[in-house]
Amino acid sequence: MARDKGRNNPGRAKKARPEERPREVYVFTEGEVTEPGFVEFVRDSGTPAQRGHGVEILFKNLTAPSKRRKPLPLVEEAIPYVAAAERAARKAGLKEGDWNWPQVWCLFDRDQHEDIPTAFARAKKAGVKIAYSHPCFELWRLLHYQNYTASFGGVCDDAASRLKGQPGFPQTYGLKIQSVSPEMAKRVMPDQVRGRYKKARGFAQQLNARHEGPDQNKWDPYTDVDSFVEDALGIVDY
């Protein structure tokens, strides 16, 4: 009997070519529910910019305690993953600049957190990317319904209240729902965002153009979640 060298062995996995390897995106989120739920929706329902360019999302802090979900600890947790992910990519035959070169992202808010500029500085030095919302992620969700240009004064509750007060928002959780609790509102429902991405991105980019100073604490209001959607996930619409 001829020895099987593996060429036609169905039990032997075929090694993917570098260009077929999905982009690995390591994600660290401040929120335990809202941001992961949103990311999963975009991954599953979004329109990719390039067919055949797969993305593998790797949530790395889903079970982290609250004290490790602040901006600076998030960045510190994320930094070691940059070198590890890039080392694995090179071993797989990828080069920096390839479409599927790995990325490491932190998604966090201004809220009342300290050390925001320090978190940004350390992330930039280490190659960690940031999607930042001021005062909080609810601003990004709100922009799917309407533009909003006035300052929130760093108060997330104001943004959250405006979001929950949008026409039809409660009914996205059930046709008979008339009011939404804070816990319920943490879940991003598809009908809150589906078909509204380009409007939200346009509003966000108008807001962000007003903030050019070095202190991210003063970028009120601000959100660049669209950069994560497009640069990390490779999605152009949802």
Side-chain angles (χ1 to χ4, degrees), residues 37-47 229 233 235 237-238:
F38 170 78
V39 172
E40 289 174 342
F41 166 79
V42 175
R43 176 197 63 195
D44 296 340
S45 304
T47 302
V229 170
L233 304 184
I235 297 297
D237 201 3
Y238 54 67

Side-chain angles (χ1 to χ4, degrees), residues 7-28:
R7 180 178 299 174
N8 298 311
N9 184 355
R12 186 168 181 171
K14 180 181 177 182
K15 185 177 180 181
R17 293 179 295 178
E19 63 271 20
E20 297 174 337
R21 182 183 172 94
R23 176 192 297 148
E24 293 182 342
V25 180
Y26 296 78
V27 180
F28 295 77

Side-chain angles (χ1 to χ4, degrees), residues 185-206:
K186 289 181 180 180
R187 292 188 290 120
V188 178
M189 306 303 288
D191 286 345
Q192 297 167 6
V193 292
R194 183 185 289 120
R196 305 171 189 249
Y197 172 67
K198 292 183 177 179
K199 177 169 68 174
R201 179 188 61 184
F203 289 154
Q205 291 177 350
Q206 292 175 30

Side-chain angles (χ1 to χ4, degrees), residues 6 10 42 63 66 96 124 151 158 166-167 176 219 221 234:
V42 175
T63 60
S66 297
E96 189 169 359
K124 182 178 180 179
S151 170
D158 190 5
Q166 292 300 309
K176 296 183 179 181
W219 298 356

Side-chain angles (χ1 to χ4, degrees), residues 150-172:
S151 170
F152 286 100
V155 179
C156 184
D157 287 349
D158 190 5
S161 294
R162 290 180 182 277
L163 174 65
K164 290 190 292 183
Q166 292 300 309
F169 182 84
Q171 287 71 47
T172 62

